[in-house]
């Protein structure tokens, strides 16, 4: 069976490095295809990724972005970011930040992004309001892993349900949960009318 998508050229070597590093929490490839497609909708946009890992989803985001767009990706694991930098660091649109996600969000207030992908606890289960405040009107907030996963710890399903209820109740946002890949939520901050 052929894959229903064409991956960025760097994915095979990034995946090899990811496996060699023993990193077991990469974003699902189908999630990544959606990330790329959504990125293409924001020409010249400013993007933020919370939870870089080894850069697999970063590569897909970059593949969807145009030449004028920029991406800041944040992770607190320097060994994973070393892989990301080796594979993707040549891209002038990319800024790699080694920092705690919570601290980054607290210091980023006042900045604005067209697209925030929160792939870690920071900006998803912690400091959600701070992450949402960074999204420009008309901008996207995207999260994944909203369907049951085999690596969820005891009680995590309750956290997911609470987060989903919170997101669906947000005033000024359109929110869609999709049973796609690992479970993706796409939210758009409604511009003033």
């Amino acid at each position: 069976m052929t894959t229903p998508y064409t991956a960025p050229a760097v994915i095979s070597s990034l995946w090899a490095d990811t496996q060699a590093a023993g990193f077991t929490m990469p974003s699902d490839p189908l999630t990544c295809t959606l990330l790329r497609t959504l990125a293409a909708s924001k020409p010249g946009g400013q993007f933020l990724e919370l939870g870089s890992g080894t850069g697999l989803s970063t590569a897909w985001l970059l593949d969807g972005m145009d030449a004028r767009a920029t991406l800041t990706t944040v992770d607190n694991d320097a060994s994973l970011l070393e892989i990301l930098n080796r594979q993707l660091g040549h891209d002038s649109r990319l800024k790699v930040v080694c920092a705690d996600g919570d601290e980054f969000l607290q210091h980023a207030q006042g900045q604005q992004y067209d697209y925030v992908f929160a792939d870690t606890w920071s900006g998803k289960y912690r400091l959600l309001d701070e992450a949402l405040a960074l999204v420009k009107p008309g901008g996207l907030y995207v999260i994944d892993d909203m369907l049951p996963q085999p690596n969820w710890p005891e009680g995590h399903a309750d956290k997911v349900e609470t987060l989903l209820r919170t997101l669906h109740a947000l005033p000024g946002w359109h929110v869609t949960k999709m049973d796609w890949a690992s479970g993706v939520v796409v939210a758009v901050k409604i511009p003033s009318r």
Side-chain angles (χ1 to χ4, degrees):
M1 178 177 145
T2 60
T3 57
Y5 54 82
T6 302
V10 72
I11 289 297
S12 58
S13 60
L14 245 177
W15 182 243
D17 284 355
T18 298
Q19 290 178 305
F23 184 64
T24 60
M25 298 175 62
S27 292
D28 183 286
L30 291 176
T31 297
C32 291
T33 66
L34 180 60
L35 294 175
R36 174 174 63 186
T37 298
L38 294 173
S41 76
K42 299 294 181 188
Q46 293 178 298
F47 295 71
L48 173 63
E49 178 184 36
L50 299 166
S52 319
T54 58
L56 288 163
S57 55
T58 311
W60 287 88
L61 285 165
L62 289 167
D63 199 52
M65 292 164 42
D66 71 3
R68 295 178 297 116
T70 60
L71 169 61
T72 300
T73 189
V74 181
D75 204 290
N76 65 354
D77 189 325
S79 65
L80 297 178
L81 290 179
E82 190 277 324
I83 294 169
L84 186 153
N85 273 312
R86 185 172 64 250
Q87 296 280 351
L88 303 171
H90 63 279
D91 194 318
S92 62
R93 300 171 298 165
L94 179 63
K95 177 182 178 185
V96 180
V97 177
C98 186
D100 175 79
D102 289 3
E103 290 178 16
F104 178 88
L105 285 171
Q106 290 165 342
H107 289 99
Q109 292 310 296
Q111 296 183 46
Q112 293 280 274
Y113 295 92
D114 297 285
Y115 185 135
V116 174
F117 174 47
D119 194 23
T120 185
W121 283 59
S122 299
K124 189 189 294 189
Y125 299 106
R126 294 191 308 260
L127 302 176
L128 174 64
D129 290 341
E130 288 80 354
L132 295 175
L134 298 178
V135 180
K136 292 179 183 178
L140 298 167
Y141 170 79
V142 182
I143 56 175
D144 63 350
D145 300 331
M146 294 291 103
L147 291 174
Q149 304 294 308
N151 62 349
W152 279 5
E154 181 81 26
H156 188 70
D158 294 336
K159 287 180 175 42
V160 170
E161 286 306 312
T162 299
L163 175 59
L164 291 172
R165 278 194 306 274
T166 299
L167 290 171
H168 283 291
L170 284 173
W173 289 81
H174 289 306
V175 179
T176 299
K177 178 187 177 282
M178 297 177 282
D179 291 340
W180 172 259
S182 65
V184 178
V185 171
V186 177
V188 176
K189 185 180 277 188
I190 303 168
S192 300
R193 296 178 187 193

